[in-house]
Structures are given as structure tokens and as C-alpha cells.
Amino acid sequence: MRAGAMADGFRLLWAQTFWNLRKTWFLLRGRRGPAPCQCDSHDPRHPAFRCAAVTYWESPDRFARRVCPLLQPTPVGWRCRAPAGAAKPFWGLASVWLGGLALALYLTATTGFWGVIRIASDAPVAWWRIAWPGAWSSIAPIQAEANFQKSRAAFNGGDYVAAYRILASARLRDPGNYEAALLMAQLSMFQGSYYHADELFAELAERHPQQFRRTMMAYHDVLLCLNRMDRLAEHCLAMVRRDKSQSVLWVRSLLLALRDRDVSRDFQLKHASQIETLPAFARMLVEARLELANGRPDSARARLREVFRGPWNAQYIERHLVLLAELGDIEIASTLLGYYSVALGRRETMGQQYMLDQQAGDHAGARASFDALLRTASSQNVMHVVLLLLRHPDGDCYRRLHARLLADPELRLGVDGPTLWITGVLCRVPAEADVWKTPEQVLFGQNYPAVSQFDFKSARINDPASVVHLINVLQLPREVIWELLARMHNTRRVSA
């Protein structure tokens, strides 16, 4: 019986189409002649026609229910109850059975395909995206995003080869995925393919103009991580003109890059015309930095010992004082700070005084300035206080900040957990620093790096103590990233 039922099932596919087509053609010809599904001869005593279509079926009942309801049982067997010439097709019934069969096959196929995709790519593709043709275009981007996340994990683990291979697959599936393209450019740089990486970053900037600044900042960070200071200096100098709203930030990194004597040696000669287009205050600082880097401290001092006679900018003033402190002219810097205080305001002046006192070794004076800053801190400016400690770590000052933040919930709104943790580690107060670990701000992995101090000489991304690892696993503000990278560069420069 089972074999007969299976045979009837296969006959159904043929019968639904073949006999309905023949009966349709019979209708179109005007019902002339015998119906195609009825036998030509009949018994006069039983005028109902026999059905030629059901001749080889195991069960005529299946045919009657699924193909032609005109077939009915009689005492002399199954007969067609339609008179000669009244046979008609049943396309509605055919569409129900064939459509149901097609739907069942389609759902089975899509479910199988969905399972293959989930097993092969581990991408979180919902079943309905496979089943609904209108959603097919969204599958490749989802797979690309899943591959991107896997490649990012491999990147953070230091496995650049695996990360690059997975990324290549992601970009094939979704060439427009900006995140994947950006990580591929960074990977190429870390693998030493500098020329290729430079081209990738340039292509990204052109193809994704809405992400231009982010692309250029990422390029800046990788150049600084890998100590490509010659390229960083050229990049920052070009960006001063292309990104004028953030020119101060680019000048700051330019000054950092020009500390390297190999970079500074011919820089002014090669880029004289571009340097001339810098804002006057920035140009004075760049020229002084070049003099200092090229072994002419007296010329640098001559440029810096006077108050700048032009429009003032708080960050340029800070760079001015930092350069004087680097020359050892703390007294001159303190005197100029008195002049600049009119533009800086009381809080910024105290911040600059804190840094000058730290560089002069006057820790008592620095703590007094820090206490004055902390007393007037608010959620809008407390980050400035934290950045001072990032530049010049002080354990006692950090404990004061820690206590104030714990006592003032509103003040805590102005600073993030990862920044406070990093600052506490730098200030060598790990117990207070650990209080500010916020797991929700870990970008990749489960926890904060298990380190008691950071290694600013290391450029290995899989080293938990390295700056490169920190900025890739923790969600950090741009100012904090810059301070960490600057400290990393200065540490490696001194130890070189």
C-alpha cells in the first residue's frame, strides 16, 4: 500500500498538469468530440463515463480528491458524473495542491540553506531573510559584519594573517562596508605594507567622504603607533589646510612628529610653502620646534621667549609653554603664563601652572594648583582635570580626584570609566583605579587588560600592557587616545 501511495503521489504531479491542460484545450475547441479524460465506450445500462485518467492509479479516491472531483464511486466502479462534453479542468484545485507542494519544497530548501549558512559562516542570519526573496540583498552585509567582528577579534589578538584573510572575505560579500575597509587598511599598515596601506586610506577618504575625518584620524593613529613620524608630519601638515575646523589638533600632532631629528632635518626646506600658509601662531611654534630638533636651542629660545603678538589660542599657548619647559626655561614660561592668563581664564591658567610646577619638580605647588582646580570642577570641565593627570601623573592628586568623584555623582557624568582607570594606573594607585572599571565600555573581549602598569615601549597589539592594545579594546575619548599615543612616542624616542 505504501509503495502504491508513493506511486500515486508521483502520478499527481503529472496528472494535475497534463489532464487540466488537455481539458482546457477541449474547452477552447468548443467541446467538440469526446472529452479527453473519458473512455470512448460506455455501458448503456450505466451511462456514466469511465475515467481514462485514473486507469493506472492505485487509489481512484486520491485522484477524485486531488485532481478531478467529477469522479465518483458507483456500484459498477468509479465513473465520471459529467455527461459527455461537460468535462472541465480544475485549475483551482491544481493550484492548491501544486502550490502547497511547491511551498513545502521551497520551505524545506530555504531551511536547509539557512542551516548551511549558519554552520558555515556563523553569521546571525534570520531564517525569514532566506525565505523572503525581498530580504536576500541583506544577507551578504550581515555575513560581512559577522566576518568583520571575527577579524577584529583576531586583530586584537595579534593574529594579523587570520584577521586579514577573514576581512578579505567580508569585503567580497559587502564591498561598501566602511568598517571592514578601515580595519583592512590598518592591518596592512601593521603588517608592514606601508605603500598599500597608504593607498587604502586615500581610497577610503575618497569613497566615504562622510567619514573623512574619522579615516584621517585613524590614519594618524596608526602612523603614530608605528612611529612613521616622517609620514605623520606630512599628513598633519596637509590636514591643517583640509580640515581647518580642527587645525589646532593637527598642528599639535605635527609638533610631536617634528621632535624627531631625522624628520625635522629637511622638513622646512621641503615644505616651506606649506609652512608659510599655517596660522601665524602655529607657524611660530613649528619653526621653533624645527630649530630645537635640529640642534639650535638658542634660535628656538629667541622665537619663544616673547609673548606671541597676534590672535591667541589656548592650545597654541599650551604648546608655547611646553616648548619653553622642554628648553628648561620654566621661569620664562611662568612669566609668559601671567600675560596669557587674560586669554586663558583662571581655570586654564591653573592647569598650565600645574604642568609647569610638575616639570620644575615643584610637587607641592602642583598639588596646590590641582586642589584649586578640583574645588571649582564641574561635569563640564572635570575631563580637563583628568587630562592633566594623564600628562603628569600624581598619585596624591588622583586620590583627591577619586574621593571627589565618589562624593559627587553629578561630577562623575563628565568623565568615563576607562579614562579614570587608565589615569589611575598611570598614577600608580591601582586600588582606586579598579573602582572605575566599567565593563559596558569594553569594545572587544570580556574584561579590562589585567595589568598593573603600561608598557609604552611596546607596539604589539596582543600585549595587554601596550597602548595599541588599550585603544583597540576600550572605548576612549579622542583626547585620551592622543595623550597615550604621544606618551608612547616620547617614551620610545627617549629610549632609542
Side-chain angles (χ1 to χ4, degrees), residues 121-133:
S121 66
D122 198 29
V125 179
W127 176 85
W128 69 268
R129 294 185 185 276
I130 306 293
W132 175 243

Side-chain angles (χ1 to χ4, degrees), residues 304-322:
L304 297 170
R305 62 185 309 129
E306 300 291 335
V307 174
F308 176 71
R309 309 295 179 182
W312 288 350
N313 176 286
Q315 293 199 50
Y316 288 156
I317 290 173
E318 179 184 330
R319 294 299 105 189
H320 188 175
L321 300 178
V322 166

